């Protein structure tokens, strides 16, 4: 498309060029791209316009402050609020790819990744060619690309959708974070079906209050963002959301008024609504039954051909989500990084743990600090031994983070504090008895630890397997 057509969106355009793509990172620019320069934490992105031009960018989209950095003679489009228009601009340039895809979006505090993987699993069993966007990875027709953010920035997201279509894609499955909704990263996508898992305290470093956090999540269910809504209403905030929506479908163990699906059973469960379906998930825990039920209901709501048979088994492999590495001792890796997720993960393991239940976790720095003592108390109340360690301290003092977690657990459980996470994991596994269960919580699939800007390779699963191998040596 031509740059001058962006004037129809209210942008001020100087010069013209044929645009074939969009990039907000000068290092990722391809020939024919529109380079997007916006203010960053330390420097205005438009300062990199010259480098982007050298890499093939043919025009720049920026704000009035960034216009001064655009090379003389380079075509430019200026918007007072770039974030407000970037999704629409990128979608137009790539031919509005989301309009040619059936699409599913999942939001909530916990369970987004697993539910998205479950939807993708069901759709694949139905014969769909899917694109998956989430915390763990992006994938196109099964080909994975590591994920930087739960929800990509608008330019990256629209390029991904364009490439999905080029690969023969039929369906899109996305985790959508509250940050992405507040920042309008998904605009102008209107999802076929949006789903809500639950809402608990998290991200209050970004959202001032829990109600603000809820309202950010609720944006996904506006008419401009989704055509249909499926809500897990056993969650208090889920029921609150359901009550404000006129055409939502409820899912849960507690019957509600209106259209919905009643869940009965455990790993093998029935969904009863306008029809009845027998489903099964091999992923452990009551919370995964909830995730599976929500995933099945969302696909049924979309009337996907073959769904009746495909939802019979909902057991995808989800990296770092209740991932079992060994049985004696049982070692489980999970992403649980707030109090609610920790409680659900720990209690799901308690009923079939013969020996001691050992939990290892920490908390990320530069994030919601209010949750730390609550996390400590939850671990203490439900575990026999608590290995207190570091997560990603970022720029915070890791000892301070651990002290804030310890404040909630002190005197309630045996605490073994080892700051170095790899050392803590190794000690927990080497000290365990064969009948013990060890939950390595907080990082899940992550492979890089940020310690004051130093990026360290650290994968809980790799460290754990090395420690398990040491146990097996004579």
């Amino acid at each position: 498309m031509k740059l001058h057509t962006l004037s129809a969106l209210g942008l001020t355009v100087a010069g013209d060029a044929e645009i074939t793509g969009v990039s907000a990172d000068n290092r990722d620019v391809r020939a024919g791209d529109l380079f997007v320069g916006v203010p960053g934490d330390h420097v205005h992105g438009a300062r990199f316009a010259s480098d982007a031009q050298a890499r093939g960018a043919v025009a720049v989209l920026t704000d009035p402050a960034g216009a001064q950095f655009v090379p003389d003679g380079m075509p430019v489009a200026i918007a007072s609020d770039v974030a407000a228009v970037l999704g629409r601009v990128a979608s137009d340039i790539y031919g509005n790819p989301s309009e040619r895809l059936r699409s599913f979006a999942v939001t909530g505090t916990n369970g987004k990744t697993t539910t998205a993987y479950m939807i993708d699993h069901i759709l694949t069993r139905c014969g769909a060619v899917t694109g998956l966007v989430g915390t763990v990875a992006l994938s196109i027709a099964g080909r994975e690309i590591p994920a930087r953010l739960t929800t990509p920035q608008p330019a990256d997201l629209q390029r991904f959708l364009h490439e999905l279509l080029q690969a023969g894609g039929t369906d899109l499955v996305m985790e959508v974070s509250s940050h992405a909704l507040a920042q309008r990263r998904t605009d102008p996508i209107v999802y076929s079906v949006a789903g809500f898992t639950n809402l608990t305290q998290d991200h209050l470093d970004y959202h001032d209050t829990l109600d603000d956090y809820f309202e950010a999540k609720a944006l996904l269910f506006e008419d401009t963002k989704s055509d249909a809504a499926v809500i897990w209403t056993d969650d208090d905030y889920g029921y609150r959301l359901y009550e404000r929506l006129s055409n939502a479908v409820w899912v849960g163990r507690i019957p509600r008024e209106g259209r919905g699906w009643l869940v009965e059973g455990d790993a093998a469960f029935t969904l009863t609504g306008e029809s009845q379906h027998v489903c099964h998930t091999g992923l452990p825990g009551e919370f995964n039954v909830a995730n599976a039920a929500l995933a099945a209901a969302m696909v049924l709501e979309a009337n996907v051909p073959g769904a009746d048979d495909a939802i019979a088994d909902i057991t995808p492999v989800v990296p770092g989500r209740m991932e079992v590495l060994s049985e004696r001792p049982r070692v489980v890796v999970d992403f649980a990084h707030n109090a609610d997720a920790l409680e659900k993960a720990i209690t799901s393991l308690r009923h079939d743990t013969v020996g001691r239940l050992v939990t290892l976790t920490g908390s990320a720095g530069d994030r919601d600090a209010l949750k730390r003592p609550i996390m400590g108390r939850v671990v203490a109340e439900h575990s026999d031994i608590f290995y207190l360690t570091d997560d990603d301290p970022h720029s915070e003092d890791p000892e301070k983070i651990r002290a804030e977690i310890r404040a909630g657990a002190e005197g309630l459980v045996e605490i073994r504090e080892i700051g170095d996470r790899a050392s803590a994991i190794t000690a927990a596994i080497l000290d365990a008895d064969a009948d013990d269960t060890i939950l390595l919580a907080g990082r899940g699939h992550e492979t890089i630890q940020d310690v004051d800007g130093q990026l360290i390779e650290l994968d809980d699963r790799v460290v754990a397997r090395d420690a398990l191998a040491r146990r097996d040596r004579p």
Side-chain angles (χ1 to χ4, degrees), residues 101-122:
L101 293 163
R102 185 169 48 205
S103 53
F104 300 82
V106 183
T107 198
T109 304
N110 300 315
K112 292 189 299 296
T113 297
T114 300
T115 303
Y117 267 78
M118 286 173 164
I119 295 169
D120 184 79
H121 176 79
I122 295 166

mmCIF file of all heavy atoms in Angstrom, residues 101-122:
data_model
loop_
_atom_site.group_PDB
_atom_site.id
_atom_site.type_symbol
_atom_site.label_atom_id
_atom_site.label_comp_id
_atom_site.label_asym_id
_atom_site.label_seq_id
_atom_site.Cartn_x
_atom_site.Cartn_y
_atom_site.Cartn_z
ATOM 1 N N LEU A 101 -9.131 -15.219 9.470
ATOM 2 C CA LEU A 101 -8.820 -16.297 10.401
ATOM 3 C C LEU A 101 -9.943 -16.446 11.429
ATOM 4 O O LEU A 101 -10.520 -15.448 11.869
ATOM 5 C CB LEU A 101 -7.520 -15.991 11.151
ATOM 6 C CG LEU A 101 -6.227 -15.971 10.337
ATOM 7 C CD1 LEU A 101 -5.125 -15.258 11.114
ATOM 8 C CD2 LEU A 101 -5.786 -17.392 9.992
ATOM 9 N N ARG A 102 -10.247 -17.677 11.802
ATOM 10 C CA ARG A 102 -11.079 -17.905 12.980
ATOM 11 C C ARG A 102 -10.141 -17.717 14.176
ATOM 12 O O ARG A 102 -9.021 -18.230 14.175
ATOM 13 C CB ARG A 102 -11.642 -19.320 12.943
ATOM 14 C CG ARG A 102 -12.628 -19.661 14.045
ATOM 15 C CD ARG A 102 -13.315 -20.982 13.735
ATOM 16 N NE ARG A 102 -12.360 -22.018 13.350
ATOM 17 C CZ ARG A 102 -12.647 -23.077 12.597
ATOM 18 N NH1 ARG A 102 -13.877 -23.254 12.154
ATOM 19 N NH2 ARG A 102 -11.726 -23.969 12.297
ATOM 20 N N SER A 103 -10.586 -16.993 15.184
ATOM 21 C CA SER A 103 -9.625 -16.601 16.220
ATOM 22 C C SER A 103 -10.187 -16.784 17.622
ATOM 23 O O SER A 103 -11.375 -16.563 17.876
ATOM 24 C CB SER A 103 -9.185 -15.147 16.022
ATOM 25 O OG SER A 103 -10.320 -14.294 15.932
ATOM 26 N N PHE A 104 -9.287 -17.183 18.537
ATOM 27 C CA PHE A 104 -9.623 -17.446 19.934
ATOM 28 C C PHE A 104 -8.645 -16.683 20.824
ATOM 29 O O PHE A 104 -7.430 -16.747 20.609
ATOM 30 C CB PHE A 104 -9.516 -18.940 20.244
ATOM 31 C CG PHE A 104 -10.421 -19.808 19.408
ATOM 32 C CD1 PHE A 104 -10.042 -20.194 18.116
ATOM 33 C CD2 PHE A 104 -11.643 -20.242 19.901
ATOM 34 C CE1 PHE A 104 -10.867 -20.994 17.336
ATOM 35 C CE2 PHE A 104 -12.471 -21.042 19.131
ATOM 36 C CZ PHE A 104 -12.091 -21.415 17.838
ATOM 37 N N ALA A 105 -9.169 -15.989 21.821
ATOM 38 C CA ALA A 105 -8.328 -15.238 22.757
ATOM 39 C C ALA A 105 -8.648 -15.672 24.174
ATOM 40 O O ALA A 105 -9.811 -15.843 24.533
ATOM 41 C CB ALA A 105 -8.568 -13.740 22.600
ATOM 42 N N VAL A 106 -7.602 -15.849 24.985
ATOM 43 C CA VAL A 106 -7.773 -16.244 26.378
ATOM 44 C C VAL A 106 -7.111 -15.201 27.266
ATOM 45 O O VAL A 106 -5.949 -14.838 27.047
ATOM 46 C CB VAL A 106 -7.129 -17.618 26.666
ATOM 47 C CG1 VAL A 106 -7.394 -18.034 28.115
ATOM 48 C CG2 VAL A 106 -7.642 -18.671 25.706
ATOM 49 N N THR A 107 -7.853 -14.721 28.271
ATOM 50 C CA THR A 107 -7.261 -13.821 29.248
ATOM 51 C C THR A 107 -7.608 -14.305 30.651
ATOM 52 O O THR A 107 -8.438 -15.189 30.838
ATOM 53 C CB THR A 107 -7.716 -12.364 29.025
ATOM 54 O OG1 THR A 107 -6.824 -11.479 29.708
ATOM 55 C CG2 THR A 107 -9.154 -12.131 29.486
ATOM 56 N N GLY A 108 -6.959 -13.716 31.661
ATOM 57 C CA GLY A 108 -7.106 -14.133 33.046
ATOM 58 C C GLY A 108 -5.740 -14.092 33.708
ATOM 59 O O GLY A 108 -4.726 -13.882 33.037
ATOM 60 N N THR A 109 -5.693 -14.262 35.018
ATOM 61 C CA THR A 109 -4.405 -14.228 35.717
ATOM 62 C C THR A 109 -3.644 -15.532 35.511
ATOM 63 O O THR A 109 -2.495 -15.541 35.081
ATOM 64 C CB THR A 109 -4.615 -13.991 37.226
ATOM 65 O OG1 THR A 109 -5.368 -12.800 37.413
ATOM 66 C CG2 THR A 109 -3.269 -13.844 37.930
ATOM 67 N N ASN A 110 -4.283 -16.636 35.815
ATOM 68 C CA ASN A 110 -3.638 -17.945 35.731
ATOM 69 C C ASN A 110 -4.373 -18.827 34.722
ATOM 70 O O ASN A 110 -5.576 -18.686 34.516
ATOM 71 C CB ASN A 110 -3.643 -18.628 37.103
ATOM 72 C CG ASN A 110 -2.911 -17.809 38.152
ATOM 73 O OD1 ASN A 110 -1.823 -17.292 37.892
ATOM 74 N ND2 ASN A 110 -3.501 -17.676 39.330
ATOM 75 N N GLY A 111 -3.637 -19.727 34.097
ATOM 76 C CA GLY A 111 -4.249 -20.691 33.191
ATOM 77 C C GLY A 111 -4.301 -20.290 31.740
ATOM 78 O O GLY A 111 -4.732 -21.081 30.898
ATOM 79 N N LYS A 112 -3.845 -19.079 31.407
ATOM 80 C CA LYS A 112 -3.925 -18.635 30.006
ATOM 81 C C LYS A 112 -3.137 -19.547 29.076
ATOM 82 O O LYS A 112 -3.628 -19.969 28.024
ATOM 83 C CB LYS A 112 -3.393 -17.203 29.857
ATOM 84 C CG LYS A 112 -4.227 -16.131 30.505
ATOM 85 C CD LYS A 112 -3.743 -14.743 30.119
ATOM 86 C CE LYS A 112 -2.316 -14.459 30.528
ATOM 87 N NZ LYS A 112 -2.127 -14.454 31.994
ATOM 88 N N THR A 113 -1.891 -19.830 29.463
ATOM 89 C CA THR A 113 -1.027 -20.622 28.580
ATOM 90 C C THR A 113 -1.590 -22.020 28.375
ATOM 91 O O THR A 113 -1.709 -22.496 27.233
ATOM 92 C CB THR A 113 0.394 -20.709 29.162
ATOM 93 O OG1 THR A 113 0.957 -19.399 29.209
ATOM 94 C CG2 THR A 113 1.274 -21.604 28.313
ATOM 95 N N THR A 114 -1.951 -22.690 29.470
ATOM 96 C CA THR A 114 -2.460 -24.054 29.352
ATOM 97 C C THR A 114 -3.756 -24.086 28.552
ATOM 98 O O THR A 114 -3.938 -24.956 27.682
ATOM 99 C CB THR A 114 -2.685 -24.654 30.750
ATOM 100 O OG1 THR A 114 -1.439 -24.667 31.446
ATOM 101 C CG2 THR A 114 -3.218 -26.067 30.657
ATOM 102 N N THR A 115 -4.658 -23.144 28.813
ATOM 103 C CA THR A 115 -5.920 -23.119 28.066
ATOM 104 C C THR A 115 -5.677 -22.869 26.586
ATOM 105 O O THR A 115 -6.302 -23.513 25.727
ATOM 106 C CB THR A 115 -6.856 -22.043 28.644
ATOM 107 O OG1 THR A 115 -7.067 -22.295 30.041
ATOM 108 C CG2 THR A 115 -8.199 -22.049 27.928
ATOM 109 N N ALA A 116 -4.753 -21.970 26.264
ATOM 110 C CA ALA A 116 -4.442 -21.709 24.858
ATOM 111 C C ALA A 116 -3.869 -22.956 24.191
ATOM 112 O O ALA A 116 -4.240 -23.297 23.055
ATOM 113 C CB ALA A 116 -3.460 -20.545 24.746
ATOM 114 N N TYR A 117 -2.969 -23.653 24.878
ATOM 115 C CA TYR A 117 -2.419 -24.891 24.326
ATOM 116 C C TYR A 117 -3.516 -25.934 24.140
ATOM 117 O O TYR A 117 -3.501 -26.716 23.178
ATOM 118 C CB TYR A 117 -1.318 -25.441 25.230
ATOM 119 C CG TYR A 117 0.080 -24.997 24.851
ATOM 120 C CD1 TYR A 117 0.539 -23.725 25.173
ATOM 121 C CD2 TYR A 117 0.942 -25.846 24.169
ATOM 122 C CE1 TYR A 117 1.817 -23.306 24.830
ATOM 123 C CE2 TYR A 117 2.226 -25.448 23.814
ATOM 124 C CZ TYR A 117 2.657 -24.175 24.144
ATOM 125 O OH TYR A 117 3.930 -23.770 23.799
ATOM 126 N N MET A 118 -4.464 -25.977 25.062
ATOM 127 C CA MET A 118 -5.573 -26.930 24.942
ATOM 128 C C MET A 118 -6.450 -26.613 23.736
ATOM 129 O O MET A 118 -6.848 -27.519 22.988
ATOM 130 C CB MET A 118 -6.410 -26.909 26.225
ATOM 131 C CG MET A 118 -5.733 -27.588 27.406
ATOM 132 S SD MET A 118 -6.667 -27.369 28.943
ATOM 133 C CE MET A 118 -5.918 -28.630 29.989
ATOM 134 N N ILE A 119 -6.751 -25.334 23.524
ATOM 135 C CA ILE A 119 -7.534 -24.945 22.344
ATOM 136 C C ILE A 119 -6.792 -25.318 21.076
ATOM 137 O O ILE A 119 -7.364 -25.879 20.130
ATOM 138 C CB ILE A 119 -7.842 -23.437 22.377
ATOM 139 C CG1 ILE A 119 -8.743 -23.085 23.563
ATOM 140 C CG2 ILE A 119 -8.511 -22.990 21.072
ATOM 141 C CD1 ILE A 119 -8.872 -21.596 23.812
ATOM 142 N N ASP A 120 -5.497 -25.006 21.045
ATOM 143 C CA ASP A 120 -4.679 -25.343 19.875
ATOM 144 C C ASP A 120 -4.681 -26.848 19.632
ATOM 145 O O ASP A 120 -4.778 -27.314 18.485
ATOM 146 C CB ASP A 120 -3.257 -24.830 20.104
ATOM 147 C CG ASP A 120 -2.352 -25.045 18.914
ATOM 148 O OD1 ASP A 120 -2.436 -24.250 17.960
ATOM 149 O OD2 ASP A 120 -1.563 -26.011 18.934
ATOM 150 N N HIS A 121 -4.581 -27.622 20.704
ATOM 151 C CA HIS A 121 -4.599 -29.091 20.621
ATOM 152 C C HIS A 121 -5.922 -29.586 20.019
ATOM 153 O O HIS A 121 -5.934 -30.439 19.113
ATOM 154 C CB HIS A 121 -4.405 -29.655 22.030
ATOM 155 C CG HIS A 121 -4.493 -31.136 22.150
ATOM 156 N ND1 HIS A 121 -3.469 -31.983 21.802
ATOM 157 C CD2 HIS A 121 -5.504 -31.936 22.598
ATOM 158 C CE1 HIS A 121 -3.827 -33.233 22.018
ATOM 159 N NE2 HIS A 121 -5.054 -33.237 22.506
ATOM 160 N N ILE A 122 -7.031 -29.040 20.505
ATOM 161 C CA ILE A 122 -8.353 -29.443 20.000
ATOM 162 C C ILE A 122 -8.498 -29.083 18.526
ATOM 163 O O ILE A 122 -8.943 -29.896 17.705
ATOM 164 C CB ILE A 122 -9.475 -28.778 20.823
ATOM 165 C CG1 ILE A 122 -9.450 -29.273 22.273
ATOM 166 C CG2 ILE A 122 -10.834 -29.058 20.198
ATOM 167 C CD1 ILE A 122 -10.297 -28.441 23.219
#
